[in-house]
Amino acid sequence: ISHQRTDWISIHGHICHLLIPVLGPQPCFHSEKDRKHGKEQLLRRQESLIAVALSTAQGFVWAGKPLEAIPAALQALRFSSQVFGSGSVQLVPVYLLLAEASTGTGHLRQAAKYLSQAQWIILQTPDCSAALQSKLHRGLGLFSVAEGNLDQALYHLANDVYLTTAEFGLNSVEVSGGYFHMANIFFRQNKMDAANSLYTEV
């Protein structure tokens, strides 16, 4: 019952009205034009479901409620797999969000599996954008912090900063996240000069 309640609060209360036309029986079309229109309409509804589920999950993560984020992120993963395919690069942000939420709930083994899935997809996508690669490195960096492996975390966060700079420019606001997490690590290591320098950069 508690799982159902969490699931309802997390996502089903938001998407229930969207599920019926997607999961219910599809109408029978008599012409090719109607069939094409029906497929396009179904795709738009599925994409709408993915967007709602993903933004809801992200909202819970930002609010510090990782447990509530997981059911929403799993719905986003389910529909993203149906729409784009299980090896599609569009699944990477969902896997990274699931990894972040799992890390937040203390399920590090599950988080590692999600990160591995994201990493595998990116390795299989030669033309993957630097922005998406940087998100993977940030996810790996934050996971390494949760594991207590600060040197590994700094390695991944440095890659995050490098890739984000390559994509958006040296003084872009997108770079500040990587600097901020690196500064926090240096602060924990009592390397105050490095920490303060990066906080100033942020």
Side-chain angles (χ1 to χ4, degrees):
I1 291 171
S2 67
H3 279 245
Q4 286 178 335
R5 190 179 301 116
T6 302
D7 197 49
W8 179 260
I9 292 167
S10 170
I11 189 61
H12 275 100
H14 301 280
I15 65 169
C16 226
H17 64 288
L18 298 170
L19 284 172
I20 297 163
V22 170
L23 299 179
Q26 297 302 310
C28 183
F29 299 108
H30 300 293
S31 72
E32 184 60 37
K33 183 182 176 184
D34 289 343
R35 266 193 295 278
K36 187 179 177 186
H37 178 70
K39 280 184 180 178
E40 288 170 357
Q41 204 171 31
L42 178 62
L43 180 62
R44 280 197 299 274
R45 287 172 176 160
Q46 288 172 321
E47 288 174 341
S48 178
L49 267 171
I50 294 165
V52 170
L54 203 53
S55 65
T56 301
Q58 188 67 74
F60 279 122
V61 167
W62 286 339
K65 299 176 179 178
L67 188 63
E68 286 89 338
I70 291 173
L74 285 172
Q75 285 294 334
L77 180 63
R78 174 188 176 193
F79 286 105
S80 294
S81 298
Q82 285 178 7
V83 172
F84 305 114
S86 59
S88 170
V89 76
Q90 280 92 343
L91 271 65
V92 170
V94 188
Y95 279 127
L96 294 178
L97 192 55
L98 279 164
E100 190 176 352
S102 297
T103 302
T105 59
H107 295 105
L108 296 185
R109 186 174 291 178
Q110 189 61 50
K113 287 180 182 177
Y114 289 133
L115 285 168
S116 293
Q117 287 284 86
Q119 196 167 21
W120 175 250
I121 290 171
I122 283 178
L123 287 170
Q124 299 301 307
T125 312
D127 58 344
C128 183
S129 70
L132 197 56
Q133 291 179 58
S134 75
K135 286 180 182 177
L136 172 65
H137 278 288
R138 187 171 300 183
L140 290 166
L142 295 176
F143 176 75
S144 297
V145 169
E147 281 191 313
N149 190 344
L150 300 185
D151 289 335
Q152 184 74 9
L154 285 171
Y155 166 79
H156 285 299
L157 291 168
N159 276 315
D160 167 28
V161 168
Y162 171 76
L163 290 161
T164 307
T165 301
E167 183 78 11
F168 300 106
L170 192 60
N171 295 317
S172 63
V173 72
E174 288 85 357
V175 182
S176 62
Y179 282 140
F180 179 74
H181 292 303
M182 289 178 76
N184 287 343
I185 293 171
F186 286 128
F187 184 83
R188 282 175 63 172
Q189 293 176 329
N190 208 26
K191 297 176 179 175
M192 299 311 295
D193 286 347
N196 288 331
S197 173
L198 286 173
Y199 283 135
T200 302
E201 190 69 28
V202 172

